[in-house]
Amino acid sequence: MKIKFIANSGQPMQIADNWLEQVDTRTIRVPLTDGTTTQINDIKDMNTISVPLLCDHTMSVKEQAGTITNIILDDSNIIATAELNDTPAGQLIKKLASEGNLKNNFSITVEVNDMNDISELNDNGIIMHNGLLTEISVVWCGADLHATLLEVEE
């Protein structure tokens, strides 16, 4: 089974009381299986993406529900397609998706290693530029209200 979803909208997200975070989706870098990274708009058909789909941001092979097989940028929306696997985590996501129980349940982890790649968002938040997408997760409630399931392909 494959699922297609908005992983991040590029809009400010309410992370805590009076604190916002935003990802500059135009500059995000995606790891490839050849050990390089590229921006989303530069991904070619021959590139193989190296981004797992996890449950609840748990960095464990036991929580890997699948693999991201395609990723595009549509306006500021990161739209991802994931191939789900047959592990317990993958089976759970398949069940939730097929029963219509995934809505605003997607979240990304972006690493920014250079403080010059973080800018201020008003007085109460940050914008992350040139970040590395390390994983995408299915979570109980995503911070990005626009990150939602778009399609289920059986």
Side-chain angles (χ1 to χ4, degrees):
M1 173 187 283
K2 289 185 180 184
I3 57 172
K4 183 177 181 180
F5 53 94
I6 298 173
N8 188 273
S9 68
Q11 302 299 313
M13 300 171 285
Q14 186 80 39
I15 302 302
D17 287 344
N18 206 28
W19 183 256
L20 300 173
E21 289 185 5
Q22 183 175 356
V23 176
D24 180 357
T25 56
R26 296 170 297 113
T27 64
I28 200 166
R29 294 173 297 118
V30 177
L32 304 174
T33 56
D34 66 3
T36 63
T37 64
T38 190
Q39 289 183 337
I40 293 172
N41 282 336
D42 294 332
I43 294 175
K44 308 289 185 238
D45 287 341
M46 65 188 167
N47 296 135
T48 304
I49 301 163
S50 181
V51 176
L53 180 71
L54 301 177
C55 288
D56 296 317
H57 296 295
T58 303
M59 309 277 182
S60 166
V61 72
K62 291 179 182 177
E63 296 301 323
Q64 185 168 347
T67 302
I68 304 302
T69 57
N70 189 33
I71 193 164
I72 62 169
L73 198 57
D74 181 17
D75 291 322
S76 63
N77 293 313
I78 296 174
I79 302 194
T81 301
E83 178 79 37
L84 300 175
N85 60 35
D86 285 328
T87 64
Q91 291 293 331
L92 172 63
I93 303 309
K94 285 177 186 179
K95 183 172 178 53
L96 291 170
S98 65
E99 293 178 357
N101 293 313
L102 290 183
K103 306 283 188 262
N104 173 238
N105 299 94
F106 298 93
S107 181
I108 64 174
T109 297
V110 175
E111 290 182 1
V112 177
N113 294 322
D114 187 339
M115 291 306 291
N116 292 322
D117 288 331
I118 296 177
S119 62
E120 198 172 300
L121 176 64
N122 302 320
D123 289 332
N124 62 334
I126 60 170
I127 302 173
M128 296 173 276
H129 308 276
N130 302 310
L132 179 66
L133 178 66
T134 58
E135 60 92 15
I136 300 176
S137 276
V138 177
V139 296
W140 72 275
C141 182
D144 185 343
L145 300 177
H146 305 284
T148 188
L149 184 67
L150 298 173
E151 186 177 310
V152 176
E153 183 181 317
E154 301 277 344

